[in-house]
Amino acid sequence: MASVLLVEDDATIRTALTRGLRERGHAVSSAPTAMNGLRGALEDRPDLVVLDLGLPDLDGVEMLRMLRAVSRVPVIVATARDGDAAMVGALDAGADDYVVKPFSAAQLDARVRAVLRRAGESPADSSVQVGELRLDPRTREAALGGDPLDLTPREFDLLHYLAAREGQVIGKRELLTQVWQIPYGGADKTVDVHLSWLRRKLKETAQHPRYLHTVRGVGVKLVDPA
């Protein structure tokens, strides 16, 4: 059983999903607005948040950014917005999964269990060192040559995933599936954007790589510059 916070302004949908998740063994609380949702997420500390984007007081993506500044609680965005731009924006803001309405309580329950399972299986228990790059998933701290790196949560997850597989060429599909938890296409560009941001922070470029090397048509690998 998981404790789930449902942030949804539509009373009919909120009632139906609350009932459906409770019938499947979850403890469910709900909030009709973004600010109430933020308060509930921080005070009640649920295992997972299900977040609508079309909230009356604040856009759900903005709420997600605010939540990610202070919490790593898994978030499933549940919305009627089905375009790539909305999906990429939510995932880049820190969502762990994205589901488009309409959907059943059974489908949402399956996604809740999958996201919580991935969170529990995260390879985040040991630090990784490659050359002068060091990442500690337990504290979410990264450093290069002893100097702290200011990484977003998604940048950290991406860099750690690659560093933990030093020398392996990892395809974009795998990165989207394992780091962004997107088991379908349509968001490849988000990987390129995040790699570009990481290169800048690692003081390298795609033309003159040190740690992050692109293998054209295959993927990217992280190596020890030495």
Side-chain angles (χ1 to χ4, degrees):
M1 182 183 74
S3 59
V4 178
L5 170 62
L6 176 62
V7 185
E8 167 65 63
D9 67 316
D10 187 303
T12 300
I13 295 175
R14 192 168 64 244
T15 299
L17 292 180
T18 296
R19 181 175 60 250
L21 290 174
R22 285 176 177 168
E23 288 174 351
R24 288 162 176 81
H26 301 294
V28 184
S29 59
S30 64
T33 67
M35 297 312 295
N36 285 339
L38 278 171
R39 189 177 302 110
L42 298 178
E43 292 179 357
D44 299 336
R45 301 180 66 84
D47 296 319
L48 181 140
V49 174
V50 177
L51 174 63
D52 182 27
L53 296 183
L55 299 171
D57 57 335
L58 194 67
D59 187 80
V61 171
E62 187 60 31
M63 174 193 156
L64 180 55
R65 292 194 183 100
M66 295 169 67
L67 180 61
R68 277 290 169 259
V70 293
S71 173
R72 291 295 301 164
V73 62
V75 175
I76 298 176
V77 167
T79 178
R81 301 177 191 175
D82 59 357
D84 276 359
M87 179 183 69
V88 171
L91 293 168
D92 283 347
D96 296 275
D97 198 0
Y98 191 99
V99 58
V100 177
K101 299 174 182 177
F103 53 84
S104 66
Q107 181 184 354
L108 182 58
D109 171 52
R111 288 176 178 268
V112 167
R113 289 184 283 108
V115 168
L116 291 175
R117 185 166 59 247
R118 288 194 295 265
E121 293 173 350
S122 175
D125 295 330
S126 60
S127 61
V128 177
Q129 176 120 19
V130 180
E132 295 185 327
L133 176 65
R134 181 177 178 82
L135 300 105
D136 188 342
R138 290 164 297 187
T139 60
R140 307 287 296 179
E141 294 177 342
L144 181 64
D147 296 326
L149 290 174
D150 183 16
L151 303 179
T152 66
R154 192 68 72 189
E155 288 170 351
F156 184 94
D157 292 340
L158 175 58
L159 191 59
H160 180 262
Y161 190 86
L162 292 169
R165 294 155 183 81
E166 178 187 356
Q168 297 180 35
V169 180
I170 310 296
K172 292 181 182 179
R173 292 291 87 209
E174 179 177 341
L175 293 174
L176 286 169
T177 299
Q178 299 299 323
V179 179
W180 276 265
Q181 287 89 46
I182 310 175
Y184 38 80
D188 291 45
K189 182 176 287 188
T190 197
V191 176
D192 295 329
V193 170
H194 279 75
L195 288 173
S196 176
W197 291 340
L198 283 175
R199 286 190 173 101
R200 189 178 310 137
K201 294 180 179 182
L202 293 173
K203 301 177 182 178
E204 62 181 69
T205 66
Q207 292 73 32
H208 301 285
R210 296 178 63 243
Y211 286 93
L212 296 173
H213 292 252
T214 297
V215 179
R216 188 177 297 277
V218 183
V220 62
K221 63 180 178 179
L222 188 145
V223 301
D224 184 343

